[in-house]
Amino acid sequence: MSFDPLVQTFKDETLESLNDLEVSLMALESRPEDADLLNAAFRVMHTIKGSAAMFGFEQISDFTHEAETVFDRVRNHEIPVTPHLISLTLQAKDYIRAIVSGEGDAPDPAEIMQGYRALLGGEAASVAPETIDESSDEEGQAFLIRFRPEPNILATGTNLLPILRELADLGDLRTVLRSDALPTLADLQPDQVYVWWDFILTGQVSQADVEDVFMFVSDNAEVQYQPLEHVRSTDTHLLHELERLLISHGDADWVNVRDAVQSYAESHTHGQVIKDEAASQLKMLSEGARTSSIRVPTERINKLVDLVGELVIAHSRLVQLSSQSGNGDIRQLSEEMGRLVGDLRDESLDIRMVPIGTTFSRFQRLVRDLARDIGRDVIMETSGGDTELDATLIERLGDPLVHIIRNAVDHGIEPPDEREAAGKPRQGTIHLSASQSGPHVVITIQDDGHGLDLKRIREKAISKGLISPDAALSDKEAAQLIFAAGFSTADQVTNVSGRGVGMDVVRQSIHALRGTVEIDSELGRGTTIHLTLPLTLAIIEGLLVLVDDQEYVLPLYSVEECLEFQATERTTSGAKEHVRDVRGQMLPMVRLREWLKMPGDLPDIEQIVMTQVGSRRAGLIVDSVIGKHQTVIKPIGHIFEDMRAFSGATILGDGRVALILDVSWLITLAEEEHHRAIQSHTRELVVS
Amino acid sequence: MPSVLVVDDSTSVRQMVGFTLKQIGFEPTEAEDGAVALQVAGSQGFDLVITDLNMPNLDGIELIKALRQQEKHKYIPILMLTTESQDSKKQEGKAVGATGWIVKPFRPDQLQAVVQKVMG
Amino acid sequence: MEATALDTTLNHYLSFSVDNDLYALNVGQVREVLELVPITKVPRMPEFIRGIINLRGKVVPVIDMRTKFGMANLDATIDTRVVVVESGHDDQVMLLGALVDSVSEVLEIKPESIQPAPTLGLDLNTDFIRGVGRHNDDSFIIILDIDKVFSTAELTLVKQAGVANAGQPEGQDS
């Protein structure tokens, strides 16, 4: 390599900068505070120090190191510009010039450096030591390595393959690719890295060698090393076993993987024959790791559930065709398929079931932090964490629950002093619980705070024009007012949960999940919010009913029984049935035909479907009940999303669409009709 | 032939880096400060950028930031020339998207090794 | 360019008739054309919403164009079709079915031969008319902008109908 022209350039350049330096130094005598001059001086020292060694002038590099440090401090105003400093630097300049040009007398460098060191407080400025590579064990070393780049690492211009190759060049490398985090093609972003690797590297390698490979990426990746003692590159069988263990024990948690591999390696390198027991135990460990769980992306499970849904629909078509065909064999086969499809449906929906406990524990932290921020003392208790819900459901419950809990901490629990004055313990409690009730999950959030002030709520509602001043609302109805949009009785907007605008959004979110929200409160004692949610969002058992010529579906889990309703039993006071005595209980009713505004005469015999949601019950009058139907729930569409009466649609066996009725809403409808009827009846009585 | 943009206010350093990388098959282009570098990078695409951090006009950190905004230079390796006393600058550089660094003073073979490391 | 924006790079239009008038939609917005399939009525909705249909497992709402354009309803014939279109509203792509009397051919109408909609002489709100094209030198064809046919205002009506059903299940007739 011919460097000479480059060295010449360096010389020329340096001599020129030294001239500039002289000029700057002279100017600094009269303007010692001039930042530009200081920077210029620093830069000269910095440049010379950086490049001198590259062109064969190592001694200048060391020399200028002190000068550079001093000037860095000077420009940061840590060391003042003094005539002494200037003359010292002029001498330094002379030294450098002499060495670089090879002409003239060089002043004593040692003296000059002393002078600088004195300015620095006598500390010897450190010069970077040459990184000496600790040579490795002669027999070679084995390492377990994890390299997990962060998804965005490509934005640093990092090229992953050279890193892997560099690692492979160090010795014998066994690679296990982890691809669990790969999303579907639709969600895949090509500039993100979704995979990572676990390696076993053996060879004449030191930890420093390995660290060197990942030198540039250690900030943008998780890099872990674990030396595997006594494992030599010649232990091919053991290495093979370790590789298999790695493959089966793919855990995102490094500690687990590390411990598993290490313990396996340790027990196999004694050089002794391991007793059968111990060996088989370890084998079980690795196999246990293999069979206990598999990580599957949620996307894949959702896709599976969708496919099962389609299968259910296709099967119901088969059922229809097979009954029309009159062929006994086909009918039998169709029935058998029905059982299989039913089982498949149950199993696949089950896969998505996840205990709600993990979501609960999230909230412990939330409550603690929230309470601390606003000066309350609150703890959260949970129960029923092992209750399982559909994973998608849990996901979508997160936000509403956070809102409710926030409200409880912020608006529910009183400050400790107030509580004490009321004879309560200073610490408030929020109790979060989940339990399964038939096909529903009930989640309650109970606090022992000051409860809802129904009087104030009523007043507020009146002042906001939500209800008329003389409206007679039951306590339960008044409590429901807090779910109205724009309602808030909080006197000030707190940072924590903002206005009470959260509650109407909460209700909407719960309704979107086909669930219901109920609220119970006692002034001074506390408030309890009940969320009732269907266990699954996807496929349910339905009851097919007929109104006029249209089929509708009712979720079977809300249906208690069906009763015949003869024409003769209808009340003579008009077609609207508001209430019926069922075994001593007066139940509100609604005739779907009327509500759906279907024309035509009523059939002679109708059916009353007794439905129940939570503690609320009502009778829905339909023309006839057709039978059970495997209902795959399809969304009705964006433009219908505010239709509360229908929670979705489903495809019938003949390909037509049937709407799924929202029982909870219909019960409310029946109750309100009933309420209205009583009111008008009472008025009639009063008037007459 | 892969192209490299060498940015440093010292002529000798620029020439030395360019020369060294030519030996391993690069086509170097020089720029004496960040502003010029940005201009050049605007009209031409590079496979590698090596830049000093302390420069007048536009300094190295700002240059790296700006380069990462350009579509064609979003994913290329960018190496910083640092001195060992500049650890915080190095971190700053990494934070705005630099790939790696070379510590001055360096020998030609050390420079080549680092370039191999990031380019494969 | 989003698929739902009126794709002006395509000069082909699907023509169809509603009450003997000829209309056209840019093919870029038309998904498919179906023969009349059973429509499930969704109760208590504005008249122009005919109901919902099953499109290979997807539930799609159907809008009656006759009602939409203020014409009297007629029974379906063998020529009646449902034109499935993609309509973009508030950044969401929706599938909608448009119930029409019959569907004719796909025409090429060059941008030059499209004139702006006349403001007089038509009973319709001309907001959703992109323009009027010449067809066969003797007849005119009205080119519709699907995104505006089902205007945000009308869909709000639909939403309100839904909300009305939700908020106050009324006992009286509305």
Side-chain angles (χ1 to χ4, degrees), chain A residues 107-356:
Chain A
D108 183 7
E111 244 182 64
I112 304 174
M113 287 217 275
Q114 282 269 54
Y116 279 127
R117 283 205 199 109
L119 285 170
L120 290 171
E123 343 137 14
S126 57
V127 182
E130 278 263 349
T131 36
I132 299 167
D133 217 339
E134 245 89 62
S135 59
S136 47
D137 217 308
E138 297 74 35
E139 284 180 316
Q141 269 261 58
F143 287 94
L144 175 67
I145 302 165
R146 165 164 290 189
F147 173 42
R148 184 167 192 172
E150 66 186 19
N152 217 20
I153 196 172
L154 297 178
T156 56
T158 303
N159 198 340
L160 292 171
L161 290 179
I163 295 177
L164 300 180
R165 271 188 225 121
E166 203 181 323
L167 194 62
D169 283 343
L170 289 178
D172 177 51
L173 186 71
R174 288 157 195 265
T175 314
V176 176
L177 173 77
R178 306 290 186 203
S179 58
D180 319 324
L182 268 179
T184 58
L185 198 57
D187 294 331
L188 188 103
Q189 285 169 276
D191 62 353
Q192 300 289 301
V193 177
Y194 300 100
V195 300
W196 72 95
W197 297 268
D198 286 329
F199 307 97
I200 298 178
L201 174 69
T202 44
Q204 297 274 7
V205 204
S206 69
Q207 177 138 337
D209 293 331
V210 181
E211 284 169 0
D212 200 59
V213 171
F214 298 105
M215 184 168 86
F216 290 153
V217 296
S218 49
D219 288 329
N220 306 106
E222 178 193 351
V223 188
Q224 307 271 15
Y225 323 95
Q226 179 60 47
L228 299 171
E229 249 94 77
H230 308 303
V231 176
R232 295 182 302 268
S233 38
T234 43
D235 295 333
T236 13
H237 179 73
L238 174 60
L239 287 169
H240 185 66
E241 287 293 294
L242 289 175
E243 190 180 349
R244 281 182 62 205
L245 180 60
L246 260 188
I247 292 172
S248 62
H249 200 118
D251 199 320
D253 200 327
W254 160 249
V255 174
N256 292 344
V257 174
R258 179 198 68 192
D259 289 344
V261 172
Q262 228 185 341
S263 55
Y264 191 91
E266 267 166 14
S267 57
H268 281 69
T269 53
H270 289 170
Q272 298 168 349
V273 173
I274 310 277
K275 286 221 178 93
D276 279 348
E277 259 179 36
S280 61
Q281 253 184 12
L282 285 160
K283 197 156 198 294
M284 258 170 26
L285 243 187
S286 65
E287 254 154 20
R290 253 199 295 272
T291 57
S292 60
S293 64
I294 304 176
R295 299 168 72 90
V296 181
T298 327
E299 289 311 306
R300 272 196 221 153
I301 296 186
N302 289 343
K303 180 81 202 201
L304 184 70
V305 172
D306 285 345
L307 284 174
V308 172
E310 298 307 312
L311 188 60
V312 167
I313 293 175
H315 176 257
S316 60
R317 181 97 179 91
L318 179 65
V319 166
Q320 195 175 48
L321 284 175
S322 78
S323 64
Q324 285 167 5
S325 77
N327 182 326
D329 286 333
I330 294 184
R331 254 216 297 277
Q332 211 178 10
L333 184 59
S334 159
E335 272 170 29
E336 195 183 314
M337 285 205 68
R339 278 192 292 277
L340 291 170
V341 168
D343 285 343
L344 182 61
R345 179 207 64 202
D346 289 338
E347 290 299 322
S348 60
L349 288 178
D350 216 48
I351 291 179
R352 277 214 311 219
M353 301 297 268
V354 168
I356 197 174

Side-chain angles (χ1 to χ4, degrees), chain C residues 2 4 87-94:
Chain C
E2 290 173 332
T4 53
S87 172
H89 269 278
D90 310 322
D91 304 324
Q92 289 198 3
V93 177
M94 274 197 295

